[in-house]
Amino acid sequence: MSGEATGTTSHDTEHDPYDQVFVLLGWAWDVARAARAAARHPVTRANVHQIGALGPLIRIDPDYARTVDLSRPLLAVPLPDVGTPIVIDGWHRIHKAKQTGVAELPVVILSADDERACRLMGGGIERRW
C-alpha cells in the first residue's frame, strides 16, 4: 500500500508483517529489507511523542492499532539534516502507546548505510519498484 502525501503501510496479518513498503512525502523504504538490517543494530528506547512527531501525516486504522504488540520494536531510519529518525514501521504501535499512556517504546534505528540500502525512492533516488 502506498500514498503520496500521507505515510502509509499495509497491515495484513495473513502476510509477513514486514512485507510492505512505507511511503512518506515522496520517499519510500522497503520495510522487509530494513527489518533484516535491524538485526545488526541494538534495540533502544524512544520517547513516543518525540519519535512519533510525524503522526498527523500517517493514516491509522484504530481497530488494528488496538491489536498491535507494543513489545515489538519500531524501525526507524536517519535522514540527512533531520534530527529525529523517521519511523518506517510501527505507527500503529505509536498510536496505541499514545492512546494507552505508554511513554516509551523499543526501537531499532538503522545506520545511514542501511537506510540508504532499504530506500526505494526519495532524496535524489528515482522510484525503484
Side-chain angles (χ1 to χ4, degrees):
M1 200 166 154
S2 65
E4 190 58 34
T6 304
T8 61
T9 60
S10 64
H11 57 264
D12 182 345
T13 57
E14 293 182 348
H15 300 291
D16 180 342
Y18 293 120
D19 183 21
Q20 57 186 298
V21 170
F22 178 75
V23 179
L24 180 67
L25 301 172
W27 292 64
W29 293 269
D30 179 330
V31 177
R33 180 174 278 183
R36 289 188 298 273
R40 296 190 295 270
H41 300 281
V43 176
T44 60
R45 308 276 308 164
N47 177 286
V48 169
H49 291 284
Q50 288 175 342
I51 203 150
L54 293 176
L57 299 175
I58 309 298
R59 275 187 242 150
I60 297 295
D61 175 346
D63 293 331
Y64 174 71
R66 284 190 286 277
T67 71
V68 297
D69 178 2
L70 295 183
S71 69
R72 187 171 138 217
L74 309 171
L75 292 178
V77 296
L79 292 181
D81 303 319
V82 177
T84 301
I86 304 298
V87 174
I88 63 169
D89 181 65
W91 285 101
H92 286 87
R93 283 168 269 158
I94 290 170
H95 177 82
K96 181 178 180 177
K98 287 180 177 181
Q99 296 299 306
T100 59
V102 174
E104 289 187 338
L105 289 173
V107 62
V108 174
I109 301 171
L110 301 185
S111 68
D113 288 341
D114 284 332
E115 180 280 323
R116 175 55 194 90
C118 69
R119 189 181 341 143
L120 300 171
M121 69 180 197
I125 298 172
E126 297 300 319
R127 186 175 175 161
R128 299 187 329 199
W129 44 283

